[in-house]
């Protein structure tokens, strides 16, 4: 398999994990319970996924901070704007951070709780639909998510640069269809495309 093909596969897998927020087993079987990385380093890496203008005010969730109710992640920095950023999970192979609009947090938290409980993808879907039906979950839209994926140790958070980093922007557009917004439902190179069309968590994938 060519290097380019491996890169496309990894980008798609990463997108499914964080953009679609479906749970895939990590190399440790569940989300990490902690990290030896200092809070300052976790913050610096996590906010690198956000647009520069939103980084200073973003809330950061990671490891070793203040506990959140029903969330495996903890608060390592309280923010002042609408962005929530996630620190790299030390239990996962490689490097991955993401930032998303605060209105997406209930949706994302369901996925984190499911992963901690080692639930299947079908069980995660069931949990989310149940939350929608009960009114505990309301999918916002449009709402943004940004992520960075790189090989272990390859991403320099101080400069935000590495030749191997893959950046993704996602626009959640609940229940949208390709016909409504004029996008393909499958990836075509770097062309934006609509993932999970017609579902409450339909979203536009944009490689950066």
């Amino acid at each position: 398999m060519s290097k380019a093909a491996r890169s496309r596969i990894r980008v798609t897998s990463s997108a499914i994990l964080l953009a679609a927020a479906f749970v895939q087993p990590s190399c440790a079987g569940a989300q990490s319970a902690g990290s030896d990385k200092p809070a300052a380093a976790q913050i610096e890496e996590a906010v690198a996924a956000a647009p520069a203008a939103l980084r200073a005010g973003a809330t950061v969730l990671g490891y070793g901070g203040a506990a959140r109710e029903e969330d495996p992640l903890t608060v390592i920095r309280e923010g002042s704007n609408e962005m929530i950023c996630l620190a790299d999970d030390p239990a996962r192979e490689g490097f991955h951070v993401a930032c998303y609009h605060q209105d997406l947090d209930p949706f994302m938290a369901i996925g984190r709780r499911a992963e901690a409980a080692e639930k299947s993808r079908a069980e995660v879907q069931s949990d989310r639909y149940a939350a929608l039906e009960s009114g505990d979950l309301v999918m916002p839209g449009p709402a943004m998510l940004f992520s960075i994926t790189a090989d272990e140790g390859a991403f320099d958070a101080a400069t935000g640069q590495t030749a191997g980093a893959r950046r993704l922007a996602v626009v959640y557009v609940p229940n949208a269809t390709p016909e409504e917004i004029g996008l393909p439902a499958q990836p075509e190179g770097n062309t934006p495309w609509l993932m999970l069309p017609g579902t409450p968590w339909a979203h536009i994938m944009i490689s950066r």
Side-chain angles (χ1 to χ4, degrees), residues 29-44:
Q31 207 161 29
S32 174
S35 173
D36 293 332
K37 189 174 293 184
Q42 294 184 60
I43 293 168
E44 183 179 43

Side-chain angles (χ1 to χ4, degrees), residues 110-122:
I110 290 173
R112 292 194 291 269
R113 290 195 297 271
E115 183 174 4
E118 299 188 51
K119 290 188 176 183
S120 69
R121 176 172 172 169

Side-chain angles (χ1 to χ4, degrees), residues 83-195:
M83 296 302 294
I84 295 177
C85 296
L86 307 182
D88 178 49
D89 184 348
R92 293 189 181 281
E93 182 180 353
F95 173 86
H96 193 91
V97 293
C99 298
Y100 54 77
H101 191 278
Q102 61 190 5
D103 288 351
L104 286 166
D105 195 47
F107 172 71
M108 299 297 178
I110 290 173
R112 292 194 291 269
R113 290 195 297 271
E115 183 174 4
E118 299 188 51
K119 290 188 176 183
S120 69
R121 176 172 172 169
E123 289 173 315
V124 177
Q125 283 282 59
S126 179
D127 287 353
R128 285 181 168 142
Y129 275 115
L132 283 171
E133 291 176 2
S134 69
D136 291 335
L137 174 63
V138 177
M139 284 304 296
M144 293 299 302
L145 177 147
F146 305 91
S147 71
I148 300 173
T149 303
D151 294 333
E152 192 73 38
F155 182 71
D156 185 345
T159 64
Q161 300 295 320
T162 179
R166 293 166 293 282
R167 293 175 177 266
L168 181 72
V170 175
V171 187
Y172 279 84
V173 282
N175 304 308
T177 66
E179 296 77 15
E180 289 174 335
I181 59 177
L183 285 176
Q186 298 293 332
E188 298 179 6
N190 289 328
T191 300
W193 61 287
L194 183 64
M195 189 171 187

